Amino acid sequence: MDKFVITGGAVLQGQILTNGSKNSALPALAAALLTAEPVTLHRIPRVRDIRTMQRLLVDIGAKAEVEGETVRLHTPNIVCPEAPYELVKTMRASSLVLGPLVARSGRARVSLPGGCAIGSRPINLHIFGLEQLGARIHQSHGYIEAEAADGLHGAVVHFDRITVTGTEDLMMAAVLAKGETVLRNAAREPEVVDLADLLTKMGAQIEGAGTSTIRIQGVTQLGGAEHTIIADRIEAGTFLIAGAITGGDLAVTGCVPEHVGALVSKLQQAGVDVTQPNSHTLRVRGGARLRSVDMTTEEYPGFATDLQAQYMALMTQAEGIAIVVETIFENRFMHAQELARMGANIRLDGKQAIVAGPRELTGAGVIASDLRASASLVLAALVAKGETVIDRVYHIDRGYEKIEAKLARVGAKIRRVD
Ligand code: EPZ
């Protein structure tokens, strides 16, 4: 199992390029199941979750050609409309094939995901939505079986709570349903908008993506398309925090500044100098004394839960008390114990983490528990005294492409060991 060995103290300087968004690429790949024509996607990040999704699509019947960051998928027929437990248990986003499969072939068999490191993460809202669209759902042996032999029909789906992949799954189901579907209390994340853009290129009729009400007029079939995935706002945000925490001068390029607006605002309140030299670059200059700033995670455009762990690492270096509240997932503070092993002063109280700083961190052996928790440990290690060894970095490989190479290029002392 790979580990990262990081020697803290380096000040990051230079330019770092953002990849395409993992969480945009995953539904985009699943959307290719909706058509018998080829779909070509550019700027697909080369991370483990994407490889898992490609494997799943190939098992379902897609032909996949990969060349660098371009993936071409062609699914003339759905051979096996199933997402097996072996894949779903390693990547919950596999449930994104549910909507496309029912829409295209009238049936799907998808394993229920089971437990997860950051919370219970059920898919009841995906199922509820599909039922509204006329699918008959049956659960047995740990699998959800959905059937709509005569096709889906449009309906009003009001989500009890905002769900990102739930919105995406239902949007993909509704594009081939008969009549109009209205998704209310829909997620407004940029990844939802990106998926709507791709589906529109394929011939779908969608209005309102990016707002909480999305209207979809079903069409009888979709065609092929070519699409470039948006920048990964969570990767960009992680690098901005890396610049800030090391007191560096880092330009994060190839990003969409608006998509990290909530983080930039917090960084500025904390005393970090953040500027936007052009439409696709943010420059972060640290070095000034950091101030503690409270933060609560929210759905977009609020502060992303996927940046909470990284922000907590930053707050260990800020003067004062920061109260970090996690509202999206019930168990997303696994990194707090590991940060504490490095010397952070963090008290957990239900949904809140109370971070008192600044504390000098010292290198230690720590364990990555999930994707973003691992990123926060990397950030903490960059400022810790001495050497930190992060175990189980396969978690970070799920969503960050060559993070160690990118950070090393801007001055970090980080290496991967087997
Ligand atoms: C997406 O997960 C992202 N994954 C997650 O990225 C991200 O943390 C999350 O949205 C929140 O922004 C992808 O896009 C592939 P949700 P998703 O459904 O869609 C509850 C990362 O690190 N809920 O918006 O699975 C759920 O338990 C990650 O890249 C239900 O109760 O999240 C959670 O508390 C991990 N029933 C809340 O809603 C449902 O049917 C929001 O979850 C669905 C969700």
Side-chain angles (χ1 to χ4, degrees):
M1 239 183 274
D2 286 3
K3 296 178 181 173
F4 281 162
V5 179
I6 302 173
T7 307
V11 172
L12 302 193
Q13 270 166 342
Q15 192 170 305
I16 201 159
L17 183 65
T18 316
N19 277 106
S21 160
K22 164 186 81 89
N23 288 348
S24 227
L26 288 170
L29 290 164
L33 293 177
L34 286 163
T35 174
E37 307 278 319
V39 173
T40 304
L41 299 168
H42 303 291
R43 208 181 180 191
I44 297 284
R46 284 164 288 194
V47 297
R48 202 157 57 97
D49 275 7
I50 296 294
R51 288 193 290 275
T52 307
M53 180 59 97
Q54 278 164 208
R55 248 179 69 198
L56 172 60
L57 298 181
V58 167
D59 287 353
I60 288 172
K63 293 181 184 74
E65 283 169 34
V66 181
E67 202 184 322
E69 294 189 339
T70 295
V71 176
R72 188 170 177 273
L73 288 161
H74 186 198
T75 322
N77 296 299
I78 302 289
V79 177
C80 173
E82 182 169 321
Y85 181 55
E86 290 64 40
L87 287 182
V88 178
K89 75 178 180 202
T90 64
M91 190 187 65
R92 308 176 70 80
S94 310
S95 56
L96 278 166
V97 299
L98 189 55
L101 285 177
V102 187
R104 167 108 182 256
S105 68
R107 63 198 179 96
R109 188 167 180 268
V110 173
S111 167
L112 280 164
C116 173
I118 62 175
S120 57
R121 305 186 70 189
I123 57 165
N124 57 308
L125 298 172
H126 302 228
I127 294 165
F128 162 77
L130 284 173
E131 279 176 335
Q132 303 304 299
L133 264 58
R136 276 184 306 284
I137 309 277
H138 175 71
Q139 186 188 327
S140 66
H141 305 293
Y143 278 76
I144 288 291
E145 289 176 14
E147 230 192 281
D150 300 328
L152 298 169
H153 56 72
V156 174
V157 178
H158 190 117
F159 291 107
D160 279 351
R161 70 174 291 177
I162 298 174
T163 159
V164 179
T165 49
T167 301
E168 293 163 349
D169 215 2
L170 263 289
M171 207 158 74
M172 290 189 278
V175 289
L176 289 179
K178 275 186 208 99
E180 182 180 77
T181 297
V182 183
L183 304 181
R184 293 200 202 281
N185 201 24
R188 293 179 287 163
E189 268 65 3
E191 295 76 21
V192 172
V193 179
D194 200 30
L195 176 63
D197 287 347
L198 166 64
L199 293 170
T200 304
K201 286 179 190 168
M202 292 165 71
Q205 291 183 20
I206 303 172
E207 265 176 36
T211 75
S212 51
T213 302
I214 303 177
R215 282 178 194 279
I216 302 146
Q217 306 292 338
V219 296
T220 49
Q221 63 176 31
L222 296 177
E226 192 163 346
H227 182 71
T228 300
I229 298 297
I230 56 168
D232 195 315
R233 62 193 167 103
I234 307 302
E235 190 199 24
T238 304
F239 292 143
L240 290 175
I241 296 175
I245 203 169
T246 61
D249 181 353
L250 209 55
V252 178
T253 63
C255 66
V256 182
E258 189 193 326
H259 292 173
V260 282
L263 170 67
V264 167
S265 168
K266 289 289 167 193
L267 290 176
Q268 288 170 336
Q269 290 171 55
V272 182
D273 179 24
V274 189
T275 53
Q276 188 185 321
N278 59 46
S279 62
H280 54 272
T281 305
L282 283 166
R283 181 176 179 188
V284 64
R285 271 171 289 195
R289 226 186 163 86
L290 286 169
R291 290 186 294 274
S292 295
V293 181
D294 295 347
M295 182 278 282
T296 299
T297 60
E298 278 168 20
E299 291 87 2
Y300 188 83
F303 195 104
T305 172
D306 292 347
L307 284 169
Q308 176 259 106
Q310 301 89 316
Y311 184 78
M312 194 185 291
L314 180 71
M315 284 300 105
T316 67
Q317 301 306 297
E319 179 98 41
I321 306 268
I323 298 180
V324 173
V325 185
E326 172 58 55
T327 67
I328 307 295
F329 292 111
E330 63 271 26
N331 189 28
R332 212 175 196 182
F333 282 146
M334 306 275 275
H335 44 282
Q337 315 298 342
E338 300 301 301
L339 292 173
R341 297 198 60 247
M342 298 173 73
N345 181 350
I346 303 172
R347 191 161 61 81
L348 297 183
D349 181 12
K351 287 178 165 188
Q352 293 189 353
I354 298 132
V355 189
R359 288 289 289 242
E360 187 181 71
L361 303 182
T362 52
V366 288
I367 294 182
S369 55
D370 78 79
L371 170 55
R372 309 303 171 184
S374 329
S376 90
L377 297 179
V378 170
L379 295 171
L382 291 176
V383 284
K385 229 179 177 165
E387 198 172 87
T388 298
V389 179
I390 305 180
D391 203 352
R392 302 196 190 158
V393 299
Y394 57 84
H395 284 295
I396 213 163
D397 294 333
R398 293 184 57 174
Y400 290 89
E401 184 178 323
K402 296 200 181 95
I403 191 171
E404 74 278 20
K406 285 190 177 191
L407 289 173
R409 236 174 276 135
V410 290
K413 295 200 170 62
I414 175 170
R415 63 196 161 86
R416 182 186 286 261
V417 296
D418 191 342

